[in-house]
Amino acid sequence: GAALFLCDAVLKNGYKLANYAEFSGDPPNWALTELTKEVCKIPGVKNLVIGSGIANFTNVKNNIEAIIDALRASPQSKALNIVVRRCGPGEEEGMVTMKAFAAESGYKIKVFGRETGMMEIVRKLKND
């Protein structure tokens, strides 16, 4: 469900879907790290939207740590405009972790919680 809202938000904000990857069902960290590295390697990718509805049992902090591992391992990801909206168990800790990574690394990352809708997070890509 949330993936469809996110795709609609991308299109309604004037972007094209270059690639779409979904992770749900509490994937292991190594799998999410590898998926994120693969997405970051796609030629011509300028934006990375990591968004979700409210997860029931997927630990957001673990997801964020896996994504950060991938960003660190993907030099091309430093040039991306990245927006993050992850909600569910561990979301507060996960968002603090992502904000700290953005501040210390210099990556262009904007982090949002459940109070910000999908349309708004995608719109934030244009504000760079």
Side-chain angles (χ1 to χ4, degrees), residues 48-64:
L48 179 61
V49 180
I50 302 165
S52 74
I54 300 172
N56 294 326
F57 56 86
T58 301
N59 186 292
V60 172
K61 185 174 187 292
N62 290 346
N63 287 172
I64 294 300

Side-chain angles (χ1 to χ4, degrees), residues 49-116:
V49 180
I50 302 165
S52 74
I54 300 172
N56 294 326
F57 56 86
T58 301
N59 186 292
V60 172
K61 185 174 187 292
N62 290 346
N63 287 172
I64 294 300
E65 290 171 348
I67 291 165
I68 289 170
D69 288 346
L71 295 175
R72 283 189 173 122
S74 304
Q76 64 277 26
S77 67
K78 190 140 187 168
L80 298 176
N81 294 312
I82 303 170
V83 292
V84 179
R85 179 195 189 255
R86 290 285 294 137
C87 308
E91 74 182 79
E92 289 180 26
E93 299 91 342
M95 296 301 98
V96 167
T97 300
M98 183 58 87
K99 286 177 184 177
F101 170 71
E104 63 110 42
S105 68
Y107 278 63
K108 297 179 282 185
I109 302 173
K110 295 178 182 179
V111 180
F112 305 95
R114 64 179 68 210
E115 70 283 349
T116 308

